[in-house]
Amino acid sequence: MNQAPKTTWWERLCEGSYRATTRRLVREIEAESPKVYSEMLQDLKTPLEPAFEREVARHLDRSGYRAFVPADTLMPAMLQRFGIEQACVSDHVSYPSLRGNCNACPVAGYCWGAMRREAGVDECRAFCPNAAAFERLAETA
């Protein structure tokens, strides 16, 4: 029978401390290094430690981040999921409304995480407030 190796008390202490302070760590990075925090939010590709990434997403869903504009970072990625070129939408009459919906999205943190993990269009349809509009735009593109 294979037994998983036991973790030491030190490993458990370090892990517990990290979990207990992750929320504070995210807030401190935002407050003390806003440029780095902003760059991190805009980077949908660089891997992050999973617990830290989840806390960043929760932070975005709870209180947002003043310098983060979801429509600038998340909407282009979401358009790709729906097979739409950003250039095709930028001139569309509904573009300002789509950006407004994106920027006011109550699940921007969830969306950020979904875009980071390359969620498929089916998952995106379930939470994106612009999904129906994107579907219509995809049909006409």
Side-chain angles (χ1 to χ4, degrees):
M1 195 185 259
N2 273 344
Q3 288 186 332
K6 281 189 155 185
T7 57
T8 67
W9 65 268
W10 180 251
E11 291 167 326
R12 290 190 309 272
L13 177 66
C14 290
E15 179 60 28
S17 295
Y18 176 71
R19 271 188 271 118
T21 60
T22 304
R23 179 180 283 185
R24 187 179 71 206
L25 175 63
V26 170
R27 287 192 317 260
E28 286 176 358
I29 293 170
E30 175 190 12
E32 301 297 325
S33 302
K35 185 176 187 306
V36 170
Y37 191 68
S38 183
E39 289 172 3
M40 180 186 68
L41 293 176
Q42 293 171 28
D43 181 354
L44 299 176
K45 300 293 183 197
T46 300
L48 296 172
E49 191 276 328
F52 181 77
E53 183 174 322
R54 280 190 304 276
E55 189 53 45
V56 171
R58 281 189 205 114
H59 181 70
L60 289 172
D61 279 343
R62 276 193 305 268
S63 60
Y65 175 57
R66 291 181 303 269
F68 180 63
V69 181
D72 291 344
T73 300
L74 303 176
M75 200 162 106
M78 187 64 77
L79 287 168
Q80 287 178 340
R81 300 304 186 281
F82 283 87
I84 303 168
E85 301 263 342
Q86 173 81 32
C88 295
V89 178
S90 298
D91 295 331
H92 196 274
V93 68
S94 66
Y95 186 66
S97 176
L98 294 172
R99 282 185 58 84
N101 287 343
C102 187
N103 288 331
C105 182
V107 293
Y110 182 85
C111 182
W112 179 79
M115 296 302 98
R116 288 184 53 76
R117 71 175 181 282
E118 308 243 349
V121 71
D122 289 336
E123 180 181 348
C124 295
R125 272 189 205 105
F127 68 84
C128 181
N130 285 325
F134 290 159
E135 297 262 320
R136 286 189 301 274
L137 287 168
E139 290 172 4
T140 62

